[in-house]
Amino acid sequence: GAGVSQSPRYKVTKRGQDVALRCDPISGHVSLYWYRQALGQGPEFLTYFNYEAQQDKSGLPNDRFSAERPEGSISTLTIQRTEQRDSAMYRCASSARYAGGLQETQYFGPGTRLLVL
Amino acid sequence: AQSVSQHNHHVILSEAASLELGCNYSYGGTVNLFWYVQYPGQHLQLLLKYFSGDPLVKGIKGFEAEFIKSKFSFNLRKPSVQWSDTAEYFCAVHSGGGADGLTFGKGTHLIIQP
């Protein structure tokens, strides 16, 4: 089937505005991950879900960041009161296996490039 | 916390040259290891992975990587590069056991000159 999709692909917003980034995983994939990638860096883990349950949000930078996956499929990453330092590429990945163990392969979407002015 | 080091941030080679990109990780337990590639304008794609067994793994497009546990390394190799290999390459580690996401290196930007 189709790969992981993300929308929007690009988002420009003004400081202080809220943004919502969407991820649609590969059909049937159990786990879903969010990463953030600053310029010149590798992706950095934010949070992940098994089905609709958020398992680990230790990577979220602060309480302005939240994520949900209410029906165990599409996920939304929300950033409230955006700041310029939030500008980055936000990547989503999904995996067929129940996350938390090894031997799991994550497949990435195209990412959403966020620019906060 | 575990970390991943990619020693070369920018590499420039001519076509047909041999390639080796270094990757070292810090975690001492059981790990899964990955190389991902991002071609210009495209998303991150899996190049190859190591879970267990033969430490020499082969991936797509003629790439291979060798897991050397004693050196905490997972270097990526290709005997003869092509212009189309121009991309950014990321090494990543998954250790499980509570570290649920992948830990990535900073990436190596590879430019192949025709």
Side-chain angles (χ1 to χ4, degrees):
Chain A
V4 178
S5 62
Q6 292 185 245
S7 61
R9 294 290 306 275
Y10 302 91
K11 177 70 177 178
V12 181
T13 190
K14 292 183 179 178
R15 187 178 55 186
Q17 298 293 307
D18 298 349
V19 295
L21 312 180
R22 173 185 162 125
C23 173
D24 195 347
I26 294 172
S27 178
H29 273 197
V30 170
S31 56
L32 184 149
Y33 294 77
W34 284 100
Y35 293 83
R36 179 172 70 172
Q37 185 175 7
L39 208 58
Q41 304 292 319
E44 178 187 20
F45 170 75
L46 294 178
T47 186
Y48 85 98
F49 296 81
N50 279 326
Y51 299 104
E52 74 282 357
Q54 191 170 15
Q55 301 293 324
D56 180 1
K57 45 185 180 180
S58 63
L60 295 176
N62 51 60
D63 60 7
R64 294 187 296 107
F65 287 73
S66 62
E68 62 175 9
R69 193 186 183 197
E71 297 179 0
S73 179
I74 292 169
S75 176
T76 302
L77 177 70
T78 301
I79 309 173
Q80 295 179 312
R81 305 180 303 280
T82 52
E83 301 177 3
Q84 288 183 328
R85 59 178 172 157
D86 299 333
S87 296
M89 174 74 85
Y90 289 83
R91 297 189 183 275
C92 173
S94 70
S95 168
R97 289 176 64 97
Y98 194 86
L102 292 175
Q103 302 203 359
E104 176 201 16
T105 300
Q106 296 179 27
Y107 297 91
F108 284 81
T112 295
R113 185 167 293 284
L114 174 66
L115 177 60
V116 182
L117 301 176
Chain B
Q2 63 181 313
S3 63
V4 177
S5 297
Q6 290 183 243
H7 313 298
N8 309 103
H9 296 300
H10 294 89
V11 174
I12 301 174
L13 294 173
S14 298
E15 277 193 313
S18 64
L19 169 72
E20 181 161 2
L21 301 182
C23 173
N24 286 91
Y25 62 93
S26 62
Y27 187 72
T30 302
V31 292
N32 292 163
L33 299 157
F34 305 83
W35 276 96
Y36 284 86
V37 59
Q38 184 171 13
Y39 297 103
Q42 298 187 27
H43 60 278
L44 276 173
Q45 301 174 36
L46 182 67
L47 199 54
L48 49 77
K49 62 187 178 185
Y50 171 79
F51 286 167
S52 63
D54 188 345
L56 184 62
V57 293
K58 296 189 183 300
I60 60 172
K61 304 187 180 185
F63 286 90
E64 64 179 31
E66 185 175 12
F67 169 51
I68 303 178
K69 188 174 182 179
S70 61
K71 294 185 178 181
F72 298 90
S73 70
F74 190 56
N75 292 355
L76 181 71
R77 299 194 294 248
K78 186 171 183 177
S80 176
V81 294
Q82 300 172 307
W83 177 78
S84 59
D85 293 325
T86 294
E88 190 148 21
Y89 293 80
F90 293 94
C91 180
V93 173
H94 185 209
S95 61
D100 297 306
L102 295 173
T103 301
F104 283 85
K106 290 186 176 182
T108 297
H109 190 195
L110 175 65
I111 297 173
I112 306 300
Q113 296 177 328

Coordinates of all heavy atoms in Angstrom, one line a residue, chain A residues 4 9 33 35 37 40-45 48 55-56 58 89 91 97 99-111 113, chain B residues 9 30-32 34 36 38 41-46 49 51-52 88 90 94-107:
Chain A
V4 N 4.0 6.2 4.4 CA 3.6 7.1 5.4 C 3.4 8.5 4.7 O 4.2 8.9 3.9 CB 4.6 7.2 6.5 CG1 4.2 8.3 7.5 CG2 4.9 5.9 7.1
R9 N 3.1 19.7 3.9 CA 4.6 19.4 3.7 C 5.4 20.6 4.2 O 6.5 20.5 4.6 CB 4.8 19.2 2.2 CG 4.2 17.9 1.7 CD 4.9 16.7 2.3 NE 6.3 16.7 2.0 CZ 6.9 16.3 0.9 NH1 6.2 15.9 -0.1 NH2 8.2 16.4 0.7
Y33 N 5.7 6.9 15.4 CA 6.7 7.7 16.0 C 6.7 9.1 15.5 O 6.5 9.3 14.3 CB 8.1 7.1 15.8 CG 8.3 5.8 16.4 CD1 7.8 4.6 15.9 CD2 9.0 5.6 17.6 CE1 8.0 3.4 16.4 CE2 9.3 4.4 18.2 CZ 8.7 3.3 17.6 OH 9.0 2.0 18.1
Y35 N 9.4 12.5 15.3 CA 10.8 12.9 15.5 C 10.8 14.4 15.0 O 10.0 14.9 14.2 CB 11.8 12.1 14.6 CG 11.9 10.7 15.0 CD1 11.0 9.7 14.5 CD2 13.0 10.3 15.7 CE1 11.2 8.4 14.9 CE2 13.2 8.9 16.1 CZ 12.3 8.0 15.7 OH 12.4 6.7 16.0
Q37 N 13.8 17.2 13.5 CA 15.1 17.3 13.0 C 15.5 18.7 12.7 O 14.9 19.4 11.8 CB 15.2 16.5 11.7 CG 16.6 16.4 11.1 CD 16.7 15.6 9.9 OE1 15.7 15.1 9.3 NE2 17.9 15.3 9.4
G40 N 21.1 20.4 10.0 CA 22.4 19.9 10.3 C 22.5 18.9 11.3 O 23.6 18.5 11.7
Q41 N 21.3 18.4 11.8 CA 21.3 17.4 12.8 C 20.5 16.1 12.3 O 19.8 16.2 11.3 CB 20.6 17.9 14.1 CG 21.2 19.1 14.6 CD 22.6 18.9 15.2 OE1 22.8 17.9 15.9 NE2 23.5 19.8 14.9
G42 N 20.7 15.0 13.1 CA 19.8 13.9 12.8 C 18.5 14.0 13.4 O 18.3 14.8 14.3
P43 N 17.5 13.2 13.0 CA 16.2 13.2 13.7 C 16.3 12.9 15.2 O 17.2 12.1 15.6 CB 15.4 12.1 13.0 CG 16.1 12.0 11.6 CD 17.5 12.3 11.9
E44 N 15.5 13.6 16.0 CA 15.5 13.4 17.4 C 14.1 12.9 17.9 O 13.1 13.5 17.5 CB 15.8 14.7 18.1 CG 15.8 14.7 19.6 CD 16.0 16.1 20.2 OE1 15.8 17.1 19.4 OE2 16.4 16.2 21.3
F45 N 14.1 11.8 18.6 CA 12.8 11.2 19.1 C 12.0 12.1 19.9 O 12.5 12.8 20.9 CB 13.2 9.9 19.8 CG 12.0 9.3 20.5 CD1 11.0 8.6 19.8 CD2 11.9 9.4 21.9 CE1 9.9 8.0 20.5 CE2 10.8 8.8 22.6 CZ 9.8 8.1 21.9
Y48 N 5.9 8.3 20.9 CA 5.4 7.3 20.1 C 4.2 6.7 20.7 O 3.8 6.8 21.9 CB 6.5 6.2 19.8 CG 6.6 5.1 20.9 CD1 6.0 3.9 20.7 CD2 7.4 5.3 22.0 CE1 6.1 2.9 21.6 CE2 7.5 4.3 22.9 CZ 6.9 3.1 22.7 OH 7.0 2.1 23.7
Q55 N 2.8 5.9 24.5 CA 3.7 5.1 25.4 C 4.8 5.9 26.1 O 5.2 5.5 27.2 CB 4.3 3.9 24.6 CG 3.3 3.0 23.9 CD 2.5 2.2 25.0 OE1 3.0 1.8 26.0 NE2 1.2 2.0 24.7
D56 N 5.3 6.8 25.4 CA 6.4 7.5 25.9 C 6.4 8.9 25.3 O 6.4 9.1 24.1 CB 7.7 6.8 25.4 CG 9.0 7.5 25.9 OD1 8.9 8.5 26.6 OD2 10.1 6.9 25.6
S58 N 8.6 11.3 26.7 CA 9.8 11.9 27.3 C 10.6 12.8 26.4 O 11.3 13.6 26.9 CB 10.7 10.8 27.9 OG 11.2 9.9 26.8
M89 N 12.3 20.3 10.8 CA 11.6 19.3 10.0 C 11.0 18.3 11.1 O 11.7 17.8 11.9 CB 12.5 18.6 9.1 CG 11.8 17.4 8.4 SD 10.7 18.0 7.1 CE 11.9 18.2 5.7
R91 N 9.2 14.8 11.5 CA 9.1 13.5 10.8 C 8.3 12.5 11.6 O 8.3 12.4 12.8 CB 10.5 12.9 10.6 CG 11.4 13.8 9.7 CD 12.7 13.0 9.3 NE 13.6 13.8 8.6 CZ 13.6 14.0 7.3 NH1 12.6 13.4 6.6 NH2 14.5 14.7 6.7
R97 N 5.4 -3.6 13.8 CA 5.5 -4.3 15.1 C 5.1 -3.5 16.2 O 5.2 -2.3 16.2 CB 6.9 -4.8 15.3 CG 7.3 -5.9 14.4 CD 8.8 -6.3 14.6 NE 9.0 -6.8 16.0 CZ 9.1 -8.1 16.2 NH1 8.9 -9.0 15.3 NH2 9.3 -8.5 17.5
A99 N 5.7 -1.6 19.3 CA 7.0 -1.0 19.7 C 7.3 -1.3 21.1 O 6.4 -1.5 22.0 CB 6.9 0.5 19.5
G100 N 8.6 -1.2 21.5 CA 9.1 -1.4 22.8 C 10.1 -2.5 22.9 O 10.7 -2.7 23.8
G101 N 10.2 -3.3 21.8 CA 11.1 -4.4 21.7 C 12.1 -4.1 20.6 O 12.0 -3.1 19.9
L102 N 12.9 -5.1 20.3 CA 13.8 -4.9 19.2 C 13.3 -5.6 17.9 O 12.2 -6.1 17.9 CB 15.2 -5.6 19.6 CG 15.9 -4.8 20.7 CD1 17.2 -5.6 21.1 CD2 16.3 -3.4 20.2
Q103 N 14.1 -5.6 16.9 CA 13.7 -6.1 15.6 C 12.5 -5.5 15.0 O 11.6 -6.1 14.5 CB 13.6 -7.6 15.7 CG 14.9 -8.3 16.2 CD 15.0 -9.8 15.8 OE1 14.1 -10.3 15.1 NE2 16.1 -10.4 16.2
E104 N 12.5 -4.2 15.1 CA 11.4 -3.4 14.6 C 12.0 -2.4 13.5 O 13.0 -1.8 13.8 CB 10.8 -2.6 15.7 CG 9.7 -1.6 15.3 CD 9.4 -0.5 16.3 OE1 10.3 -0.3 17.2 OE2 8.4 0.1 16.2
T105 N 11.3 -2.3 12.4 CA 11.8 -1.4 11.3 C 10.8 -0.2 11.2 O 9.6 -0.5 11.0 CB 11.9 -2.1 10.0 OG1 12.9 -3.2 10.1 CG2 12.4 -1.2 8.9
Q106 N 11.3 1.0 11.3 CA 10.4 2.2 11.1 C 10.6 2.7 9.7 O 11.6 2.8 9.2 CB 10.9 3.2 12.1 CG 10.7 2.8 13.6 CD 11.1 3.8 14.6 OE1 11.1 5.0 14.3 NE2 11.5 3.4 15.8
Y107 N 9.4 3.1 9.2 CA 9.3 3.6 7.8 C 8.9 5.1 7.9 O 7.9 5.3 8.6 CB 8.4 2.8 6.9 CG 8.9 1.4 6.8 CD1 8.5 0.4 7.6 CD2 9.7 1.1 5.7 CE1 8.9 -0.9 7.5 CE2 10.2 -0.2 5.6 CZ 9.8 -1.2 6.5 OH 10.3 -2.5 6.3
F108 N 9.6 6.0 7.3 CA 9.4 7.4 7.5 C 8.5 8.0 6.4 O 8.6 7.6 5.2 CB 10.7 8.1 7.6 CG 11.4 7.9 8.9 CD1 12.2 6.8 9.1 CD2 11.3 8.9 9.9 CE1 12.8 6.6 10.3 CE2 12.0 8.7 11.1 CZ 12.7 7.6 11.3
G109 N 7.8 9.1 6.8 CA 7.1 9.9 5.8 C 8.0 11.0 5.3 O 9.2 11.1 5.7
P110 N 7.5 11.9 4.5 CA 8.3 12.9 3.8 C 8.6 14.1 4.8 O 9.5 14.9 4.5 CB 7.4 13.4 2.7 CG 6.0 13.1 3.1 CD 6.1 11.9 3.9
G111 N 7.9 14.2 5.9 CA 8.2 15.3 6.8 C 7.4 16.5 6.6 O 6.9 16.7 5.5
R113 N 8.0 20.6 7.0 CA 9.0 21.6 7.4 C 8.3 22.8 8.0 O 7.4 23.4 7.3 CB 9.8 22.0 6.2 CG 10.9 23.0 6.6 CD 11.9 23.2 5.5 NE 12.7 22.0 5.1 CZ 13.7 21.6 5.9 NH1 14.1 22.2 7.0 NH2 14.4 20.5 5.5
Chain B
H9 N 31.1 14.6 8.3 CA 29.8 15.3 8.0 C 29.6 15.6 6.6 O 28.5 15.7 6.1 CB 29.8 16.6 8.8 CG 29.8 16.3 10.3 ND1 28.8 15.6 10.9 CD2 30.6 16.7 11.3 CE1 29.1 15.5 12.2 NE2 30.2 16.2 12.5
T30 N 22.4 -5.2 23.7 CA 21.9 -5.6 22.4 C 21.3 -4.4 21.7 O 20.6 -3.7 22.2 CB 20.8 -6.7 22.6 OG1 21.4 -7.8 23.3 CG2 20.4 -7.2 21.3
V31 N 21.7 -4.3 20.4 CA 21.2 -3.2 19.6 C 20.7 -3.7 18.3 O 21.1 -4.7 17.8 CB 22.3 -2.1 19.4 CG1 22.6 -1.4 20.7 CG2 23.5 -2.8 18.8
N32 N 19.8 -2.9 17.7 CA 19.5 -3.0 16.3 C 20.1 -1.8 15.6 O 20.1 -0.7 16.2 CB 18.0 -3.0 16.0 CG 17.3 -4.3 16.6 OD1 16.1 -4.3 16.7 ND2 18.1 -5.3 16.8
F34 N 20.8 0.6 12.0 CA 20.2 1.0 10.7 C 21.0 2.0 10.0 O 21.7 2.8 10.6 CB 18.8 1.6 10.9 CG 17.9 0.7 11.7 CD1 17.9 0.7 13.1 CD2 16.9 -0.1 11.1 CE1 17.0 -0.1 13.8 CE2 16.0 -0.9 11.8 CZ 16.1 -0.9 13.1
Y36 N 19.9 4.9 7.1 CA 18.9 5.5 6.3 C 19.5 6.4 5.4 O 20.6 7.0 5.6 CB 17.9 6.2 7.2 CG 16.9 5.4 7.9 CD1 17.2 4.9 9.2 CD2 15.6 5.1 7.4 CE1 16.3 4.1 9.9 CE2 14.7 4.3 8.1 CZ 15.0 3.8 9.3 OH 14.1 3.1 10.0
Q38 N 18.7 9.8 2.6 CA 17.7 10.8 2.1 C 18.3 11.4 0.8 O 19.3 12.2 0.9 CB 17.5 11.9 3.1 CG 16.4 12.9 2.7 CD 16.0 13.8 3.8 OE1 16.6 13.9 4.8 NE2 14.9 14.5 3.6
G41 N 15.3 16.0 -2.1 CA 13.9 16.2 -2.3 C 13.1 15.0 -1.9 O 11.9 15.0 -2.2
Q42 N 13.7 14.0 -1.4 CA 12.9 12.8 -1.0 C 12.9 12.6 0.5 O 13.6 13.3 1.2 CB 13.4 11.6 -1.7 CG 13.3 11.7 -3.2 CD 13.7 10.4 -3.9 OE1 13.6 9.3 -3.3 NE2 14.2 10.5 -5.1
H43 N 12.2 11.6 1.0 CA 12.1 11.3 2.4 C 13.2 10.3 2.8 O 13.8 9.7 2.0 CB 10.7 10.9 2.8 CG 10.3 9.7 2.1 ND1 9.7 9.6 0.9 CD2 10.2 8.4 2.6 CE1 9.4 8.4 0.6 NE2 9.7 7.6 1.6
L44 N 13.3 10.1 4.1 CA 14.2 9.1 4.6 C 13.8 7.7 4.2 O 12.6 7.3 4.4 CB 14.2 9.1 6.2 CG 15.1 10.1 6.9 CD1 14.8 10.1 8.4 CD2 16.6 9.9 6.6
Q45 N 14.8 7.0 3.6 CA 14.5 5.6 3.2 C 15.5 4.7 3.9 O 16.6 5.0 4.1 CB 14.7 5.5 1.7 CG 13.8 6.4 0.9 CD 14.2 6.3 -0.6 OE1 14.5 5.3 -1.1 NE2 14.1 7.4 -1.3
L46 N 15.0 3.5 4.2 CA 15.8 2.5 4.8 C 16.8 1.9 3.7 O 16.4 1.5 2.7 CB 15.0 1.3 5.4 CG 15.7 0.2 6.1 CD1 16.4 0.8 7.4 CD2 14.8 -0.9 6.4
K49 N 19.7 -2.8 7.4 CA 19.5 -3.0 8.9 C 20.2 -4.2 9.4 O 20.4 -5.2 8.6 CB 18.1 -3.0 9.2 CG 17.3 -4.2 8.6 CD 15.8 -4.1 8.8 CE 15.1 -5.3 8.2 NZ 13.6 -5.2 8.3
F51 N 19.9 -6.9 12.7 CA 19.2 -7.3 13.9 C 20.0 -8.3 14.6 O 20.3 -8.2 15.8 CB 17.8 -7.9 13.5 CG 16.8 -6.8 13.1 CD1 15.6 -7.2 12.6 CD2 17.0 -5.5 13.4 CE1 14.6 -6.2 12.2 CE2 16.0 -4.5 13.0 CZ 14.9 -4.9 12.5
S52 N 20.4 -9.4 13.9 CA 21.2 -10.4 14.5 C 21.8 -11.3 13.4 O 21.5 -11.1 12.2 CB 20.4 -11.3 15.4 OG 19.3 -11.9 14.7
E88 N 22.1 12.3 1.7 CA 22.5 12.4 3.1 C 22.3 11.0 3.7 O 21.2 10.4 3.6 CB 21.8 13.5 3.9 CG 22.3 13.8 5.2 CD 22.2 15.2 5.7 OE1 21.3 15.9 5.1 OE2 22.9 15.6 6.6
F90 N 22.2 8.6 7.2 CA 22.1 8.6 8.6 C 22.2 7.2 9.2 O 21.6 6.3 8.8 CB 20.7 9.2 9.1 CG 20.5 10.6 8.7 CD1 19.9 11.0 7.5 CD2 20.9 11.6 9.6 CE1 19.7 12.3 7.2 CE2 20.7 12.9 9.3 CZ 20.1 13.3 8.1
H94 N 18.8 1.4 17.7 CA 17.7 1.1 18.6 C 18.1 0.1 19.6 O 18.5 -1.0 19.3 CB 16.5 0.6 17.8 CG 15.2 0.4 18.6 ND1 14.3 -0.5 18.3 CD2 14.8 1.1 19.7 CE1 13.3 -0.4 19.2 NE2 13.6 0.5 20.1
S95 N 18.0 0.5 20.9 CA 18.5 -0.5 21.9 C 17.3 -1.1 22.7 O 17.5 -2.0 23.5 CB 19.3 0.3 22.9 OG 18.6 1.3 23.5
G96 N 16.1 -0.7 22.4 CA 15.0 -1.3 23.1 C 15.1 -1.0 24.6 O 15.8 -0.1 25.0
G97 N 14.5 -1.8 25.4 CA 14.6 -1.7 26.9 C 14.4 -0.4 27.5 O 15.1 0.1 28.3
G98 N 13.4 0.3 27.0 CA 13.0 1.6 27.5 C 13.4 2.8 26.6 O 12.8 3.9 26.7
A99 N 14.4 2.6 25.8 CA 14.8 3.6 24.8 C 14.0 3.3 23.5 O 14.5 2.6 22.7 CB 16.3 3.6 24.6
D100 N 12.8 3.9 23.4 CA 11.9 3.4 22.4 C 12.1 3.9 21.0 O 11.8 3.3 20.1 CB 10.5 3.7 22.9 CG 10.2 3.0 24.2 OD1 10.3 1.7 24.2 OD2 9.8 3.6 25.1
G101 N 12.6 5.1 20.9 CA 12.8 5.7 19.6 C 14.2 5.3 19.1 O 15.1 4.8 19.8
L102 N 14.4 5.6 17.8 CA 15.7 5.5 17.2 C 16.6 6.7 17.7 O 16.1 7.8 17.8 CB 15.7 5.5 15.7 CG 14.9 4.3 15.1 CD1 14.8 4.5 13.6 CD2 15.7 3.0 15.4
T103 N 17.9 6.4 17.9 CA 18.9 7.4 18.1 C 19.7 7.6 16.9 O 20.3 6.6 16.4 CB 19.8 7.1 19.3 OG1 19.0 7.0 20.5 CG2 20.8 8.2 19.6
F104 N 19.7 8.8 16.3 CA 20.4 9.0 15.0 C 21.7 9.7 15.2 O 21.8 10.5 16.2 CB 19.5 9.9 14.1 CG 18.3 9.2 13.5 CD1 17.1 9.0 14.1 CD2 18.5 8.7 12.2 CE1 16.1 8.3 13.5 CE2 17.4 8.1 11.5 CZ 16.2 7.9 12.2
G105 N 22.6 9.5 14.3 CA 23.8 10.3 14.2 C 23.4 11.6 13.5 O 22.2 11.8 13.0
K106 N 24.4 12.5 13.3 CA 24.1 13.8 12.7 C 24.0 13.8 11.2 O 23.6 14.7 10.6 CB 25.1 14.8 13.1 CG 25.1 15.2 14.6 CD 26.0 16.3 14.9 CE 25.9 16.8 16.4 NZ 26.8 17.9 16.7
G107 N 24.4 12.7 10.6 CA 24.3 12.5 9.2 C 25.6 12.8 8.5 O 26.4 13.6 9.0

